[in-house]
Amino acid sequence: MLISAVALVLLSHPLDRSPIAIDSFEGKSYRGWRVTGTAFGSGPAHGALPNQMPVSGYEGEGLVNSYNGGDGSIGSMTSSKFKLQRPYLNFKIGGGNHPRETCIELIVDGKVVYSTTGKSTTPQDTEALAWATWDVSAYQGKSAQIQILDLNSGGWGHINIDEIVQSDQAQAPSEPLLTTPAEPYTPPVPEPIYRERYRPQFHFSAKHNWLNDPNGLVYFEGDYHLFFQYNPTGIQWGNMHWGHAISPDLVHWRELDPALSPDEHGTNYSGSAAVDVANTTGFGKEPRPPLVAMYTAAGKPFTQCLVYSNDHGRTWTKYSGNPVLPHVVGENRDPRIFWHEPSHKWVMALYLDGDEFAIYGSPDLKSWTELSRLHIPGSSECPELFQIPLEGTDETRWIFYGANYHYLVGTFDGTTFHQEEGPIQGDFGANFYASQTYNGMTDGRRVQIAWMNGPGPMPNMPFNQQMSFPCELKLIQTDDGPRLTRTPVQEIESLRGQGYALAATPIADGESVPVNLHSHQYDVSLSVHPDPGTQTVIQVGTQEVVIDADKKTITSLGRTAPLKLQDGNVDVRLLIDRSSLEVFAEHGLVSLTSYLPTPYRTNDVRILSRGGTSNIVSLQAFELKSAWP
């Protein structure tokens, strides 16, 4: 019997049944996948991400790891369509056990037929990946898609996936089919930039990715410069650059390209900037003085470096003699510089280690001499040192504080800070850190911005973290001694829209009055005279700011501050943004800066009384327009 030529070819070359790879995640990007949210980053991870336990069990160098930004981040990945051509679909999986939330799913005919979650539930579990298998023989020849989901922001709220392969061989016993096919996850539609659901509308946030400490706050020829710690490649902390934004009015910001990038000395940690009016550095070009900045190069070890700009801060040149201050001790960092005219030299406050800070002096920012040291109990990092008038007198004082804004009041003779008062807690909220004030302001104001250090990114947002609203600091005399006040800069009035006012009104126990505005951003000022035993409550959606007349306290988002009633009256101001609530009481002597819990978005603000009558003396509120273009 003759065998045909075609049959001979098939016998000598059997049909290829080798495995078909869907993805092994070895590239730099998720090519072929549609990615939403922040959890998966911009491409495959190479093992563990910052603050994650060691990850094992994956193949090659890359894997899907949704711990980008920590467990609080969420997101999704959806593959392109492919044909099921083998009876088994194998993959490696690890991460949290949250069915339908941290999982990988197979979609056939528009329905989820398989959904497999991770195995880890307790702190003792590991980040090891293991093989799992779906028996897809019943779906041979059909078109399919895979979704990888991280929709959980709690403990073990992440998923790890690698090596998705179609094969004739099962790598593990098959996972169970869903009893009833489910609807696939529909990712949210991307929102316009700066108009996202949780984007602060009058607080600064980076267009994309992570930010922290404000750096280099300086005013120069019409521009307020805001530099900041910045990761241009990720939603989480790391890879520190100096981000950069400018504003004509401290309210409307325009983000520029990053100003500083890592070099052989390390990444770019916090620092400060100033105008070198006398051109002591020799960096200037007539007729304009240079802008100068000092920052910490976070290499091994940490050192302090100098940069300068001759084009209004648009580009920066690193000094060829860097570092200008070698390692001193520990992780010495965060140089704060200013020109001290009485001693005709530059002064730098520097964090050393523990609660210890140092003061240095220099004629030209290039050579530095240690002048003195001091301690601020309970404080560390990001020192601030400046002179400020004592209101109502011809006197001035100096302020020294660390990152937590527990400040000292005293004097400074160009060499040593002499403490008179403190440390005094400057802000009582949950999210106020690493604040800095502006150099170079020509109107005599001392303006402060802080990093609102928070728990993590808002759901599905392209950014992480924000700044506090700029506030003017003043030093006033009180019964307890000189104290700083913080009040929002007057430029906020440029954002005011529709207003609402309420004249003197008593609110009886259990009753409330609405603030008749309909917005997501407010500026609310209230003067109230509560009867003894009364709590006056400002309700912001489901959150409350509580003034307790008997305890003489004010509480906002779980944080409480002492309060003094003036002739029985309390004056309170609230700045309410989409993601934050800043409270100012006693004309700024008390402030509480906090994030609002997610999800938050409401247009409902009310004044409620408990336990007695709250006598409204006056109430004025304004809707605030967006500061973004």
Side-chain angles (χ1 to χ4, degrees):
M1 182 175 180
L2 296 175
I3 301 175
S4 70
V6 172
L8 285 172
V9 170
L10 289 174
L11 287 172
S12 58
H13 299 283
L15 292 174
D16 183 10
R17 297 294 296 180
S18 59
I20 302 172
I22 304 299
D23 207 326
S24 59
F25 304 106
E26 295 299 314
K28 293 183 178 180
S29 66
Y30 292 121
R31 186 175 181 181
W33 295 80
R34 182 161 62 95
V35 182
T36 69
T38 60
F40 296 98
S42 59
H46 292 85
L49 293 170
N51 302 315
Q52 186 180 21
M53 291 189 297
V55 177
S56 62
Y58 59 96
E59 305 288 326
E61 296 184 355
L63 77 155
V64 172
N65 184 346
S66 74
Y67 196 76
N68 184 55
D71 277 333
S73 60
I74 63 174
S76 69
M77 293 177 55
T78 305
S79 76
S80 301
K81 291 184 178 180
F82 61 93
K83 183 180 287 189
L84 291 169
Q85 303 177 67
R86 298 288 185 270
Y88 300 105
L89 205 157
N90 302 309
F91 51 90
K92 304 199 84 172
I93 184 170
N97 186 295
H98 300 285
R100 300 298 317 276
E101 292 185 343
T102 55
C103 60
I104 181 170
E105 301 191 327
L106 181 66
I107 303 169
V108 180
D109 294 332
K111 297 289 186 180
V112 177
V113 296
Y114 278 109
S115 182
T116 302
T117 187
K119 308 301 181 187
S120 297
T121 58
T122 73
Q124 289 73 40
D125 290 326
T126 71
E127 293 278 12
L129 280 74
W131 282 110
T133 296
W134 292 329
D135 181 348
V136 295
S137 56
Y139 305 106
Q140 292 290 283
K142 290 197 171 186
S143 178
Q145 283 181 290
I146 289 174
Q147 274 194 336
I148 305 172
L149 303 180
D150 177 354
L151 306 179
N152 188 286
S153 56
W156 283 106
H158 64 277
I159 189 75
N160 300 326
I161 298 291
D162 195 22
E163 264 338 271
I164 307 175
V165 181
Q166 297 190 63
S167 176
D168 285 334
Q169 304 297 321
Q171 291 286 353
S174 180
E175 298 287 313
L177 278 164
L178 290 183
T179 304
T180 302
E183 293 294 328
Y185 171 70
T186 303
V189 176
E191 298 170 291
I193 198 72
Y194 293 127
R195 294 294 184 268
E196 302 94 341
R197 180 177 178 85
Y198 298 113
R199 171 78 69 174
Q201 292 298 288
F202 61 93
H203 292 75
F204 179 79
S205 58
K207 186 175 182 179
H208 297 105
N209 298 323
W210 170 276
L211 67 72
N212 55 287
D213 308 0
N215 297 156
L217 302 190
V218 63
Y219 176 79
F220 184 57
E221 295 186 349
D223 287 332
Y224 292 95
H225 292 267
L226 169 60
F227 301 92
F228 48 92
Q229 292 286 277
Y230 181 56
N231 181 0
T233 61
I235 203 74
Q236 78 285 347
W237 181 92
N239 187 30
M240 287 293 96
H241 291 55
W242 269 29
H244 187 195
I246 57 172
S247 172
D249 59 3
L250 291 166
V251 174
H252 300 86
W253 296 97
R254 177 165 64 93
E255 189 170 341
L256 305 179
D257 291 336
L260 301 180
S261 301
D263 59 18
E264 69 274 14
H265 299 297
T267 51
N268 310 125
Y269 276 21
S270 291
S272 54
V275 183
D276 184 8
V277 176
N279 196 24
T280 62
T281 57
F283 295 149
K285 295 180 179 179
E286 293 293 341
R288 180 180 295 117
L291 281 173
V292 292
M294 292 273 292
Y295 70 94
T296 296
K300 296 182 179 181
F302 285 17
T303 57
Q304 316 311 317
C305 291
L306 174 64
V307 295
Y308 62 93
S309 173
N310 284 305
D311 60 359
H312 284 82
R314 295 324 189 254
T315 61
W316 291 80
T317 301
K318 293 182 178 180
Y319 174 49
S320 61
N322 281 336
V324 294
L325 184 64
H327 180 255
V328 180
V329 65
E331 290 191 352
N332 51 188
R333 60 183 181 270
D334 311 332
R336 175 67 170 103
I337 60 170
F338 62 91
W339 178 255
H340 187 248
E341 184 60 33
S343 59
H344 202 67
K345 65 173 178 284
W346 290 96
V347 169
M348 173 173 62
L350 186 71
Y351 171 63
L352 295 181
D353 200 14
D355 65 1
E356 187 172 36
F357 300 81
I359 297 174
Y360 286 80
S362 172
D364 58 5
L365 292 171
K366 300 173 182 177
S367 59
W368 291 92
T369 301
E370 184 177 319
L371 304 176
S372 60
R373 295 191 180 191
L374 71 157
H375 294 263
I376 307 179
S379 293
S380 64
E381 302 186 310
C382 303
E384 176 63 286
L385 176 60
F386 58 84
Q387 188 177 27
I388 190 168
L390 180 59
E391 295 289 306
T393 74
D394 296 328
E395 303 175 21
T396 64
R397 293 291 188 275
W398 285 78
I399 305 296
F400 200 120
Y401 62 75
N404 63 358
Y405 192 35
H406 290 194
Y407 64 90
L408 308 178
V409 182
T411 60
F412 177 61
D413 58 14
T415 299
T416 304
F417 179 87
H418 301 278
Q419 178 181 340
E420 297 175 349
E421 301 274 348
I424 302 156
Q425 187 167 347
D427 188 274
F428 292 84
N431 307 108
F432 187 99
Y433 199 74
S435 66
Q436 191 175 112
T437 66
Y438 269 88
N439 276 332
M441 290 192 63
T442 56
D443 59 9
R445 290 186 298 172
R446 178 62 58 175
V447 172
Q448 179 192 58
I449 297 177
W451 165 38
M452 290 188 64
N453 56 331
M458 305 299 179
N460 293 304
M461 294 296 101
F463 66 94
N464 190 354
Q465 313 289 291
Q466 70 178 60
M467 297 299 180
S468 68
F469 190 77
C471 282
E472 181 179 359
L473 302 184
K474 291 184 178 181
L475 187 67
I476 67 171
Q477 189 65 53
T478 73
D479 293 340
D480 299 318
R483 295 293 186 269
L484 287 172
T485 65
R486 296 181 65 246
T487 53
V489 294
Q490 63 190 18
E491 287 89 342
I492 196 173
E493 294 176 7
S494 68
L495 298 179
R496 287 178 172 174
Q498 184 177 348
Y500 173 76
L502 184 65
T505 303
I507 305 176
D509 179 23
E511 295 183 351
S512 67
V513 296
V515 174
N516 286 322
L517 296 173
H518 301 283
S519 177
H520 301 299
Q521 301 94 233
Y522 295 92
D523 183 354
V524 180
S525 295
L526 171 70
S527 180
V528 60
H529 187 112
D531 286 351
T534 300
Q535 289 184 340
T536 303
V537 181
I538 307 167
Q539 293 182 325
V540 181
T542 59
Q543 306 304 311
E544 295 185 345
V545 177
V546 180
I547 301 164
D548 193 304
D550 283 2
K551 294 180 179 178
K552 294 183 173 56
T553 59
I554 183 168
T555 300
S556 174
L557 298 170
R559 298 298 180 102
T560 299
L563 196 63
K564 291 187 177 180
L565 279 65
Q566 303 296 323
D567 298 324
N569 287 356
V570 179
D571 293 291
V572 180
R573 185 174 180 183
L574 279 67
L575 296 187
I576 305 165
D577 207 340
R578 289 187 179 179
S579 55
S580 61
L581 172 62
E582 293 177 273
V583 178
F584 307 89
E586 292 188 63
H587 303 287
L589 274 171
V590 173
S591 66
L592 301 98
T593 304
S594 300
Y595 279 112
L596 285 161
T598 304
Y600 163 82
R601 199 179 185 192
T602 183
N603 57 12
D604 184 22
V605 177
R606 307 179 70 84
I607 315 299
L608 169 72
S609 193
R610 292 184 185 138
T613 299
S614 295
N615 300 286
I616 302 297
V617 178
S618 63
L619 184 150
Q620 188 175 39
F622 294 93
E623 296 178 359
L624 293 178
K625 296 173 289 186
S626 174
W628 301 113

